[in-house]
Amino acid sequence: MTGYVAPTEPPTRGWDLHCHTVFSDGTKTPAQMIAEARERGLDGVAITDHDTTAGWADAQEAAHAQGMPLLRGTEITACDEDVSVHMLAYQYDPRSVHITRLFAATREARLHRTERMVARLAEDYPITWDSVMEQVREGGRTTVGRPHIADALVAAGVYANRSEAFADAVSADSKYYIPTPSPTTHEVVRAVSEAGGVVVIAHAGDMSRNPRLLSDAQIESLIDEGLDGLEVWHRGNPPEQRERLLAIANAHRLLVTGGSDWHGAGKPNLLGENLTDEDTVRRIVERGALPLWR
Ligand code: AMP
Ligand code: FE
Ligand code: FE
Ligand code: ZN
């Protein structure tokens, strides 16, 4: 990659490349995401709902209408040995059969596992499958998960907000927890590459998500398979992990990205609190199968 120099400090302007809407576990629509990106003076934004492209059309329409450049993406649920991994895929062909099958399987597995978790929780808490489904904004087009269970518990008055639910009954450490069966990181890198996209490991230094992080060796084998970058600028990555991830990125000439992991009212993360610089965005667009959407 000619002349790419990853920023060593968090960019103070640029794009937010990690945002969720009502098409997964965010609480705002794609149009509200675009409007807020404008208000905050961002150069552009990416839509990255979990395991779906269902929000792309609405985001495209709003981005065009409001004059805000858009990257099209998805945060893909994956696993690598015993580590749960999220991978951000950008600018791939959404018609790719491999990737649409992969998403359909993950969403089905998520739905089934969420139903089983609700059955367990319903024994001790005043929630039902119907009360969880009431929290889902776009019906069958929404990727369902634990946040919707958390919202049902909040609606039932058990917790004050999602974060409290995640700290207790909905936590991965609770007795009600069931993991989501997911494709491996290797399968995801292959599927995104085949679909002409750019693939980045999300928040790889976030110790709160896993008892252990991906090792350097695990990341390096994904680099050999075509991994494009690492999300370094994310509130979940502490300073020493940012340094570690930057060192890996620089040694292998990977793209370095940043994003807020905005979920609207579903998390405290603010839109634009972490950013990706313009040069990195340009390279994502150059590598990807889709044009920049304006
Ligand atoms: P799931 O993929 O169904 O296991 O749910 C995990 C999702 O819950 C993640 O993608 C986060 O967006 C969300 N999440 C995790 N922890 C919290 C938290 N403390 N508060 C709000 N949302 C959270
Ligand atoms: Fe989420
Ligand atoms: Fe994530
Ligand atoms: Zn996310």
Side-chain angles (χ1 to χ4, degrees):
M1 190 169 36
T2 49
Y4 178 69
V5 183
T8 53
E9 295 291 326
T12 51
R13 59 169 302 144
W15 290 55
D16 190 336
L17 294 193
H18 191 158
C19 307
H20 299 270
T21 74
V22 291
F23 287 93
S24 62
D25 53 357
T27 64
K28 303 283 177 73
T29 64
Q32 289 170 322
M33 172 188 80
I34 298 291
E36 194 164 329
R38 269 197 76 176
E39 281 161 28
R40 290 186 181 271
L42 304 187
D43 291 336
V45 70
I47 182 169
T48 57
D49 279 306
H50 296 282
D51 306 303
T52 187
T53 57
W56 285 17
D58 288 6
Q60 285 171 204
E61 192 185 319
H64 183 71
Q66 299 184 42
M68 170 64 49
L70 175 76
L71 287 194
R72 289 161 280 179
T74 302
E75 187 174 27
I76 307 179
T77 311
C79 60
D80 195 309
E81 297 166 18
D82 56 340
V83 185
S84 151
V85 180
H86 283 176
M87 308 193 86
L88 291 161
Y90 300 104
Q91 299 289 99
Y92 59 88
D93 180 353
R95 295 162 305 185
S96 153
V97 174
H98 200 145
I99 217 155
T100 48
R101 279 201 194 129
L102 188 138
F103 289 172
T106 302
R107 285 201 307 273
E108 178 69 29
R110 279 176 155 287
L111 195 64
H112 185 64
R113 151 287 188 159
T114 307
E115 262 185 294
R116 288 171 57 219
M117 272 189 73
V118 171
R120 286 187 185 182
L121 283 155
E123 294 186 6
D124 297 333
Y125 293 94
I127 59 166
T128 61
W129 183 240
D130 283 348
S131 78
V132 173
M133 284 300 101
E134 274 170 29
Q135 304 304 321
V136 172
R137 289 274 300 275
E138 296 290 331
R141 298 207 297 156
T142 294
T143 303
V144 173
R146 281 186 289 156
H148 303 100
I149 305 178
D151 290 351
L153 288 162
V154 172
V158 178
Y159 299 107
N161 54 50
R162 246 189 215 182
S163 297
E164 279 190 15
F166 267 91
D168 192 29
V170 175
S171 149
D173 301 323
S174 91
K175 63 175 180 178
Y176 309 103
Y177 180 70
I178 298 169
T180 298
S182 327
T184 69
T185 51
H186 309 282
E187 289 175 291
V188 171
V189 167
R190 194 177 328 121
V192 176
S193 302
E194 278 177 10
V198 174
V199 60
V200 172
I201 305 178
H203 45 66
D206 187 347
M207 265 107 60
S208 73
R209 296 192 67 253
N210 269 300
R212 92 172 166 93
L213 297 177
L214 284 175
S215 66
D216 289 10
Q218 280 174 298
I219 295 175
E220 278 156 5
S221 44
L222 295 169
I223 296 171
D224 293 340
E225 292 162 25
L227 181 75
D228 292 283
L230 296 173
E231 183 187 52
V232 173
W233 319 117
H234 183 285
R235 67 157 66 195
N237 294 333
E240 65 280 8
Q241 284 298 326
R242 293 180 184 204
E243 267 179 45
R244 171 190 167 228
L245 296 171
L246 271 180
I248 298 172
N250 288 329
H252 299 274
R253 300 183 153 271
L254 296 185
L255 299 172
V256 168
T257 72
S260 64
D261 215 346
W262 182 70
H263 284 68
K267 272 189 177 180
N269 308 31
L270 299 175
L271 191 70
E273 70 173 27
N274 276 295
L275 296 167
T276 303
D277 66 291
E278 191 78 49
D279 182 40
T280 303
V281 172
R282 188 169 54 77
R283 287 166 195 269
I284 291 172
V285 173
E286 281 170 6
R287 278 189 205 185
L290 302 178
L292 177 65
W293 183 273
R294 330 180 147 266

